[in-house]
Amino acid sequence: MSILLNKESRIIVQGITGQEGSFHAAQCHEYGNNVVGGVTPGKGGQRALNGAVPIFDSVREAKKETGANVSVIFVPPFAAADAILEAADADIGLIVCITEGIPVKDMMIIKNYLKTKTSRLIGPNCPGVITPGEAKAGIIPGSIVKKGAIGIISRSGTLTYEAVHQIGAAGYGQSTCIGIGGDPIIGSSMADLLLLFEDDAETEAVLIIGEIGGSMEIESAELVQEKISKPVFAFIAGSTAPPGRRMGHAGAIITQADETAAAKKNVLKEKGVHIIDSPADMGAVITNVLH
Amino acid sequence: MKIHEYQAIDLFRKYHVPVTQGVVVEKLQDGENAVNELADKYDVSSFVVKAQVHAGGRGKAGGVKLARDRQTALQHLSNILGMELSTKQTGSASVTVRKVLVTEAVDIAREFYVAITLDRSAAKNVIITSTEGGTEIEEIAKNQPEKIIKEWIDPLIGPRDYQLRRLCGIFGLDKSLTYQLKDILRKIYQLYLDTDASIVEINPLVLTKDDRLIAIDAKINFDDNALYRQKDIARLRDIGEENPAEVEAGKYNLNYIKLDGTIGCMVNGAGLAMATMDIIKIKGGNPANFLDVGGGATPETVKNGFKIILSDKNVKSVLVNIFGGIVRCDRIANGILDAVKELSLDIPIVIRLEGTNADVAAEIIKNSGISVIAASSFADAAEKAVAAANN
């Protein structure tokens, strides 16, 4: 068990012939041996990954021919919104959008449109999803993760890798790691994924890696109090970030008082989440509570 | 991206939102002609002289003055142009006023607040109105929340008339003025959409004593991610308002933000970069900057990163914290060492590499003969960087 992604997942890559897309599609295939095709408009009929998988002109066609239920998107920002909508209209169950730089206006339309669809979106501006030992849809390095009982939900990329590393060094592994993305509007929130981890038999505890900006951490704190029985840990990056400045991620900006790291930590703590103050203590705090 | 008030007013004018007439002065010697032209052309006898800076809170800091005649307007102009403005938003730092807007002054009967911005968690734009114009919205929200109306706009439908009626209803205006105000809201919403804005704020929108609605202030920010398709908006960027090192970093595609501390940070990834700043603080130091060199951390980005960090003369040590995933640590280590050698850096540099091939990287650094400080863990790196900065 795991969430979102497992051995049975059938993955297509939108943008499989691009530089990023072809590199990471190969990495995903090497990891889980379950990339079943790719989509690049105009290149249908050709093959990718050294001939291993077919390329299609459209997602609809790719789904029909391969039975794909996951799509990973590596297309440039100007085409990414269209790529997400195409995957949603083809009823792909899980859409993972890696692309950074999609305008907020486009994401706003997508987010509202997706309410009428069955697809779940992870990202954009994220490293994707990996279920250790089973499958990977994105760019999280397969070599650093190992199978285990901690679920990870993170707004960051390399900070997620840091967390994985610390958890591994402490003797734990991960059930599924999800980079949910650093943009102001993203497909799946922390709260959405916490509910999935709660229902996953393999996950014993969840680590949330949040940051300044927005209210997603606070919304998940409310949920933890009401509906989550498993231990939840949280590190919130950006305690030293000045207000009004965008710290790398488009969504990492303090525009009001309740968006600071301190404010989020207070609410999370109040609702029963184990707060990790130092980013070097992620493994240690989890060990202390779980051992 | 931020723009100046006078640029925002120009955009309002383009969308037929009523605004005041004004002139922008950049050189003091042009002031007299500019004020005379404004006065003669539009029959203006009272003026408002306003500093044009990207930081908010200028009024309280002395950057906005009223003048009842041309002479006083020129006096204010000469005081404000070139002044160092410290506002609530600039903090202890200050900004130099390089441009001044002189506008006509209007006789104000009432002041309203009107804004459109993004509500992230609702994934919708929200239109906000308040009867308490001229005050900061955060203050109103805290002390008099009942004086604020908000309507969330479905992006697939757009603002409905009933929503605009409710937003305007709070002002208790007569039918004709309500109609005009609804029209203004529709126009600024269209402007907001057309330009990929992230906020349009009018504070205040005034009702004059002769019953006209006029925006006497304008603030518009834009979504950086959309600038590629907003060429006209992108041209409004005023680099003079930005930190020179940050502008320079942008040319190298590096994400750099200058801070007040003494420990330079070079990190791959924005989240890890913030976390690195945080741990420096926990260990008793102060970060000099935020710097994300990108997931890959190539020798080129690392070299440029050092140049930018060391352009800040307050920096006493540098902490390099790189997590190598797909790009292996041994390759990154070689890149860092090459940069240190090439730039002949003589400042303490603490290096922490973690991830794929971290052990090989540690050997490379140890045997390099280059004097850098190797760190064994995240915490160890922060401690060593703080100690080096304090020496």
Side-chain angles (χ1 to χ4, degrees), chain A residues 23-24 27 77-79 100-113 115 136 139-141 143-144 155-159 161-163 165-166 182-185 211-216 219 235-242 244-253 255-256 259 261 277-282, chain B residues 1-2 89 117-125 138 153-156 189 192-196 198 222-230 243 246 255-259 267-283 286-287 290 292 294-295 321 323-326 352 354-356 377-380:
Chain A
F23 176 78
H24 288 290
Q27 297 267 320
F78 66 85
E100 176 174 9
I102 302 178
V104 170
K105 187 164 74 178
D106 298 4
M107 275 314 300
M108 193 181 294
I109 289 168
I110 288 169
K111 177 98 178 174
N112 285 277
Y113 182 71
K115 287 178 193 162
K136 135 167 163 164
I139 64 173
I140 297 174
S143 58
I144 63 168
R155 284 173 68 184
S156 172
T158 48
L159 185 55
Y161 310 165
E162 175 73 39
H165 168 75
Q166 287 184 28
D183 275 359
I185 298 179
E211 61 192 27
I212 55 164
S215 56
M216 193 174 289
E219 284 149 24
F235 170 74
I236 309 295
S239 294
T240 48
R245 299 304 308 268
R246 213 171 283 283
M247 308 303 285
H249 293 151
I253 177 168
T255 56
Q256 48 195 46
E259 293 181 319
D277 283 313
S278 166
D281 292 344
M282 291 188 278
Chain B
M1 188 187 87
K2 294 177 177 181
Q89 271 185 18
T117 191
L118 166 69
D119 180 335
R120 293 168 57 159
S121 64
K124 285 177 178 166
N125 291 313
E138 293 83 8
I153 309 304
D154 188 318
L156 305 175
Y189 187 80
Y192 180 96
L193 282 189
D194 290 350
T195 58
D196 276 294
S198 54
F222 303 93
D223 176 7
D224 291 338
N225 283 352
L227 291 177
Y228 75 86
R229 64 185 180 196
Q230 296 288 350
N243 179 289
E246 293 179 14
N255 220 318
Y256 171 87
I257 293 172
K258 193 190 167 319
L259 302 167
V267 189
N268 66 335
L272 191 59
M274 276 189 274
T276 303
M277 289 160 45
D278 295 347
I279 198 170
I280 286 171
K281 186 85 181 178
I282 290 170
K283 299 296 179 189
N286 277 305
F290 166 93
D292 170 13
N321 185 20
F323 200 104
I326 285 158
R352 186 258 179 161
E354 194 51 80
T356 315
S377 71
F378 198 176
D380 181 48

Side-chain angles (χ1 to χ4, degrees), chain B residues 9 145 338:
Chain B
I9 288 173
D338 284 349

